[in-house]
Amino acid sequence: MQADVLVIGGGTGGVAAALGALRAGRSVLLTEEYDWLGGQLTSQAVPPDEHTWIEQFGATASYRSLRDGVRDYYRRHYPLTEAARARRDLNPGAGHVSRLCHEPRVSVAVIDAMLAPYRGSGRLTVLQPYRPVAAETDGDRVTAVTVEHRDTGERLTLTGAYVLDATETGELLPLTGTEYVTGFEAQSDTGEPSAPEEAQPLNLQAVSYCFALDHVDGDHTIDKPASYDFWRSYQPSFWGAPLLSFKAPHPRTLELVERGFTPNPGDDPLSVIADQRVSGGDMNLWTFRRIAARDMFTPGAYESDITLVNWPMIDYLEGPALEVPDAAGHLARAKELSFSMLYWLQTEAPRADGGTGFPGLRLRGDVTGSADGLAQAPYHRESRRIRAEYTVVEQDLSLDVRGGKGAVNYGDTVGIGMYRIDLHPSTGGDNYIDVPSSPFEIPLGALIPQRMENLLPASKNLGTTHITNGCYRLHPVEWNIGEAAGLLAAHCVEQGLSPRAVRNTPERLETFQRLLTSHGVELRWPDISGY
C-alpha cells in the first residue's frame, strides 16, 4: 500500500499528524496497534494533562476543536443537568487534574468524526490493529515499513514519501537504524543541572496500566492476583511506605503524604476548578482523575461517579519496558501491579469508618474498552528519542534557570507547550523530579534527525532529554508535535524540499511558519510566567 505520508502509530500525536497532512492535501496511511485511535486520550485512559491557560490560548486550533468536540458530544448525547449543560467550560468528570476530564470513548468518537471526511474521500486509510515489525532503508531514507496485524499475523508493506514515527516508544527508530537515545543523559553531554554524571540509558520513567472504577452496591472483589503477596510487601527504598497504600511522596516536595480516598464524596462538581498551577490535585484520589461525576447528569443516569486510577501506586519501577530482552515481561508485571492495587483497595484499604476494604469498587473495563478490565494499552511516559539537529535541554526552559527571562525563544519554533518538568519515579531508583518550567516553544530542529532525511518524530520521540521529556510528553504538546510533523511532511512533498532545507534556509523556514500559523498553530506565547 502507498500514500504520500505514512503515519505509524495512531496515538495523540499520530492523529494530529494525519490531520495536518490531510488538511494540507496529502494522502495518508495511518496505522494503530490498539482498537482505539487516540493513545493517551483513549486506549491508555489518561485524562488530558493540560496547562493553566488551556481555555484561552496555548494550543493549536485543531486541538481546541478536539476539546470543543468532546464538550459538544456530551451536550448532544448525554443526560446532563441543565446547569452542567450551560457551562461553557463543562468538565464532565469534575476531576482536579484537568479542565476536561471525560470518558475515553468520547474522545474516540470525536477523533473518528474529525477523520471521517478524509476516510470518505479515500485520502485516508486507517489500518487497525497493526504494529510495525520491519523497515527497509536506502542510505538515509526509509523506503518501506512492514506492519503486522495484531491478531491474524497478516503483514502489509507500506511505502510513502515521508514516514512519521508516532508510536508510543519510537518503535521505528531501531527498525530503520535511526540514531536515538533512551533514558537519562549524562550532565557532561547536556549540561543539565538535574542530570547525573554518567548516562543511564535504561533509567526510564515508570510505565503504568491505568483502569477505571466506580463504587456501587454488592461485592465486586476480583480474584486475588498471583503476585499480590509480592506487591503487598513491596516498598521502594525512597518511598517511605508500602507501594500499596494511600501514602506516597508528594511530587513537588518529596515528603511522605497520605492521600484521601472517598468514593462518591457528594461534592459539588460545578465548583471544581482544575488548576495545575496551584496543585496537582491528587490529595483526594477519587476526585483526582474522576472522568464522570454523577451529579453532572440527571438523577439516576449514573449509579456512581467513575474515576480513573492513574496514581503513583501503580507506577511500575522494576525494570524498563523497552530496550531489554524482557520488556514484555515487565509490561505483564505492570499489569499485575495494577490488579494488585485494585485487590488491595477492595480488601485491605483503610476506610474512614475504621473498617477495611471497599468491595463495592467495580472495575469498569467497558469504559476502557478492554477484555481484562485495565486500559487497552500501557501508559509509556518516556520513549526512545531521536538524536536531533537540536535537543531541548533543561536550561532552555527551567524556571529556576531562566527566571523572569522566560524560556528560550527558538527562531525555528513550530508550536508551543507548557507543563511542569514532571518526571515520575524511574526504573533507576530515582524519586520524582517535579520542578517549575516556563511556557516553552517546540523547535523544528527537535523534529529533524541528524541523518535520516524522510523520517520524522510525531510523538514523544523528538529531540528532548530524559528531563525535558517530562514537560513535552503531555497531551496538547504531543498533539502539536504531531500536527507540525504532518504539516512539514506535506509541505516538503508539495515543495520538493527536505525538512533540513526548510529549517536551515531562512526564507523557506518563514514560509513554513506562515503555513503553520494559517492552520492555527500558535508559535509564541504571550508574556506570562511559568509555574
Side-chain angles (χ1 to χ4, degrees):
M1 302 180 70
Q2 187 274 334
D4 295 329
V5 179
L6 307 183
V7 181
I8 308 299
T12 305
V15 168
L19 282 167
L22 290 161
R23 287 199 318 270
R26 298 299 104 197
S27 61
V28 174
L29 282 169
L30 173 64
T31 74
E32 169 53 29
E33 178 178 357
Y34 295 97
D35 294 337
W36 290 347
L37 296 173
Q40 291 191 74
L41 285 163
T42 61
S43 60
Q44 296 167 38
V46 183
D49 287 298
E50 300 170 327
H51 58 74
T52 292
W53 306 281
I54 192 67
E55 300 290 340
Q56 291 80 41
F57 47 80
T60 74
S62 64
Y63 186 77
R64 201 167 299 285
S65 294
L66 171 74
R67 299 179 87 255
D68 291 345
V70 167
R71 287 175 169 146
D72 290 346
Y73 193 93
Y74 273 95
R75 293 189 183 103
R76 288 199 308 271
H77 301 293
Y78 279 69
L80 296 166
T81 65
E82 288 308 309
R85 188 179 305 278
R87 289 292 291 262
R88 178 181 174 276
D89 60 346
L90 172 65
N91 188 354
H96 287 260
V97 73
S98 168
R99 296 176 190 262
L100 192 59
C101 288
H102 61 280
E103 294 167 56
R105 284 185 188 276
V106 177
S107 273
V108 176
V110 175
I111 286 168
D112 284 345
M114 295 173 80
L115 294 172
Y118 304 107
R119 289 172 118 161
S121 70
R123 285 201 292 113
L124 170 66
T125 300
V126 179
L127 300 172
Q128 279 178 284
Y130 282 86
R131 59 187 183 89
V133 292
E136 298 174 25
T137 59
D138 181 5
D140 299 334
R141 301 187 68 82
V142 182
T143 56
V145 176
T146 300
V147 294
E148 182 179 84
H149 194 282
R150 181 194 64 198
D151 303 326
T152 67
E154 176 197 29
R155 291 194 171 193
L156 297 171
T157 299
L158 314 180
T159 60
Y162 280 85
V163 178
L164 276 53
D165 185 346
T167 62
E168 298 300 322
T169 56
E171 292 171 48
L172 286 187
L173 304 184
L175 292 178
T176 59
T178 301
E179 293 77 9
Y180 66 91
V181 296
T182 60
F184 227 148
E185 295 89 345
Q187 190 176 75
S188 58
D189 290 333
T190 66
E192 295 174 302
S194 302
E197 289 186 10
E198 296 184 4
Q200 301 170 7
L202 294 181
N203 187 359
L204 285 80
Q205 286 193 70
V207 66
S208 301
Y209 270 96
C210 305
F211 55 94
L213 292 175
D214 62 7
H215 188 267
V216 294
D217 291 338
D219 187 342
H220 303 278
T221 305
I222 63 171
D223 293 339
K224 182 179 178 180
S227 61
Y228 179 72
D229 291 337
F230 170 82
W231 290 113
R232 183 66 187 84
S233 61
Y234 184 84
Q235 181 171 325
S237 60
F238 56 84
W239 204 258
L243 191 64
L244 301 190
S245 73
F246 289 139
K247 295 179 180 179
H250 188 288
R252 300 183 185 182
T253 67
L254 302 185
E255 66 176 317
L256 186 65
V257 175
E258 184 162 7
R259 272 69 168 182
F261 182 74
T262 307
N264 298 316
D267 59 322
D268 176 11
L270 294 176
S271 69
V272 173
I273 300 176
D275 190 346
Q276 291 276 352
R277 177 172 45 183
V278 177
S279 164
D282 63 341
M283 290 302 102
N284 184 326
L285 292 172
W286 183 266
T287 57
F288 176 34
R289 293 182 183 269
R290 182 171 53 185
I291 56 175
R294 63 180 179 179
D295 290 336
M296 283 285 197
F297 306 93
T298 54
Y302 278 67
E303 288 183 89
S304 165
D305 294 347
I306 303 173
T307 195
L308 206 291
V309 177
N310 178 15
W311 305 342
M313 302 79 174
I314 63 166
D315 283 0
Y316 178 81
L317 304 172
E318 284 292 278
L322 55 86
E323 296 289 293
V324 294
D326 194 27
H330 285 306
L331 287 176
R333 289 188 282 278
K335 276 193 172 187
E336 281 283 301
L337 169 57
S338 290
F339 281 122
S340 294
M341 183 66 198
L342 171 59
Y343 186 77
W344 179 84
L345 286 167
Q346 292 173 322
T347 61
E348 294 193 65
R351 301 195 307 260
D353 64 6
T356 55
F358 295 84
L361 290 175
R362 180 173 58 171
L363 185 61
R364 292 295 302 272
D366 57 318
V367 170
T368 54
S370 65
D372 65 10
L374 305 181
Q376 295 174 29
Y379 177 27
H380 287 280
R381 295 178 174 87
E382 189 169 347
S383 172
R384 301 174 181 90
R385 303 179 297 278
I386 63 166
R387 290 196 179 275
E389 281 207 344
Y390 184 85
T391 300
V392 179
V393 292
E394 180 183 6
Q395 53 271 35
D396 283 3
L397 49 84
S398 165
L399 193 62
D400 293 339
V401 175
R402 300 291 300 173
K405 294 181 292 186
V408 170
N409 290 126
Y410 304 119
D412 63 344
T413 174
V414 293
I416 58 176
M418 172 59 201
Y419 209 72
R420 288 173 65 90
I421 297 173
D422 174 12
L423 301 177
H424 279 234
S426 71
T427 57
D430 293 318
N431 207 334
Y432 286 97
I433 299 175
D434 190 329
V435 295
S437 69
S438 303
F440 54 83
E441 298 165 2
I442 303 166
L444 179 55
L447 272 65
I448 300 178
Q450 291 178 354
R451 181 179 60 86
M452 299 298 284
E453 295 293 343
N454 70 332
L455 182 142
L456 297 170
S459 184
K460 299 183 286 285
N461 52 348
L462 76 165
T464 58
T465 65
H466 174 80
I467 293 172
T468 55
N469 164 74
C471 56
Y472 272 71
R473 65 180 174 84
L474 291 313
H475 304 63
V477 191
E478 183 183 335
W479 184 279
N480 194 151
I481 292 163
E483 187 168 2
L487 287 167
L488 177 62
H491 180 69
C492 288
V493 170
E494 181 179 348
Q495 298 296 320
L497 298 170
S498 70
R500 215 176 309 282
V502 172
R503 179 185 183 235
N504 296 319
T505 310
E507 59 271 20
R508 289 170 175 166
L509 175 61
E510 184 179 346
T511 298
F512 178 59
Q513 289 175 321
R514 285 199 302 268
L515 174 69
L516 291 171
T517 300
S518 74
H519 280 266
V521 178
E522 299 176 21
L523 302 183
R524 306 284 183 194
W525 283 96
D527 186 15
I528 54 175
S529 298
Y531 55 86

